[in-house]
């Protein structure tokens, strides 16, 4: 039984030590911190811009599906569709996706493309050098063969 516990603990340790688990944990922590930034942008910039047209609080936008729709919160009557909260969540998602794409994914893609181009250019240069070295070695061989041939014919 203790061997089984030891193997389970060893397996758990191996699972935790894999790189992708650590990367995932870092991503979750960064994502949680980033959520606060996005929520602040939505509350501090987007909602006031929308508030210039209507109310600052998107959650207050709703439509009455079955009336009479009166009151708010627990005392509300009727059936309401709270499309304002859906709009707010959608805006938060779009802003998050845009920031992640433009500040993280796009620069990383450009960097990786440049690194790949440099690697290919370096490999291409290496191939040219190798071909050139091969040609030089062939010329040396041919010169040695010619030299030996001319040396044997004189004797």
């Amino acid at each position: 039984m203790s061997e089984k516990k030891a193997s389970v603990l060893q397996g758990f340790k191996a699972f935790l030590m894999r790189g992708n688990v650590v990367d995932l944990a870092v991503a979750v922590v960064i994502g949680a911190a980033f959520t606060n930034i996005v929520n602040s942008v939505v509350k501090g910039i987007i909602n006031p811009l929308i508030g210039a047209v209507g109310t600052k609080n998107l959650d207050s936008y709703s439509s009455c599906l079955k009336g009479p729709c009166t009151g708010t919160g627990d005392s509300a009557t009727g059936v309401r569709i709270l499309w304002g909260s859906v709009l707010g969540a959608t805006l938060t998602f779009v802003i998050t996706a845009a920031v992640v794409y433009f500040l993280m994914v796009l620069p990383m893609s450009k960097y990786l493309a440049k690194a790949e181009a440099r690697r290919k250019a370096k490999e291409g240069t290496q191939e040219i050098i190798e071909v050139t070295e091969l040609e030089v070695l062939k010329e040396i061989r041919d010169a040695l063969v010619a030299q030996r041939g001319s040396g044997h014919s004189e004797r």
Side-chain angles (χ1 to χ4, degrees), residues 39-94:
N39 288 338
S40 296
V41 169
V42 170
K43 288 178 185 174
I45 297 172
I46 303 298
N47 285 353
L49 289 175
I50 293 174
V53 177
T55 179
K56 276 174 96 174
N57 186 2
L58 292 177
D59 293 340
S60 65
Y61 287 109
S62 65
S63 297
C64 187
L65 189 62
K66 182 178 178 185
C69 291
T70 58
T72 58
D74 291 338
S75 64
T77 61
V79 178
R80 293 178 189 239
I81 295 178
L82 304 173
W83 59 271
S85 60
V86 174
L87 178 63
T90 303
L91 283 173
T92 301
F93 172 77
V94 169

Side-chain angles (χ1 to χ4, degrees), residues 16-148:
L16 289 179
M17 298 310 285
R18 287 193 304 196
N20 56 357
V21 172
V22 174
D23 291 342
L24 181 61
V26 169
V28 168
V29 170
I30 295 294
F34 188 69
T35 299
N36 291 332
I37 294 170
V38 172
N39 288 338
S40 296
V41 169
V42 170
K43 288 178 185 174
I45 297 172
I46 303 298
N47 285 353
L49 289 175
I50 293 174
V53 177
T55 179
K56 276 174 96 174
N57 186 2
L58 292 177
D59 293 340
S60 65
Y61 287 109
S62 65
S63 297
C64 187
L65 189 62
K66 182 178 178 185
C69 291
T70 58
T72 58
D74 291 338
S75 64
T77 61
V79 178
R80 293 178 189 239
I81 295 178
L82 304 173
W83 59 271
S85 60
V86 174
L87 178 63
T90 303
L91 283 173
T92 301
F93 172 77
V94 169
I95 291 169
T96 304
V99 169
V100 166
Y101 180 75
F102 289 112
L103 295 182
M104 295 177 189
V105 174
L106 191 62
M108 184 59 76
S109 296
K110 287 182 179 181
Y111 171 76
L112 292 175
K114 286 180 183 178
E116 182 67 18
R118 280 189 298 240
R119 186 187 64 78
K120 284 185 178 180
K122 188 176 180 181
E123 283 180 3
T125 308
Q126 224 171 13
E127 287 176 13
I128 292 170
I129 291 171
E130 288 174 6
V131 169
T132 306
E133 288 175 359
L134 184 62
E135 293 297 323
V136 170
L137 289 173
K138 284 181 182 178
E139 289 175 11
I140 293 171
R141 180 200 62 202
D142 293 342
L144 288 172
V145 168
Q147 193 177 33
R148 281 187 188 163

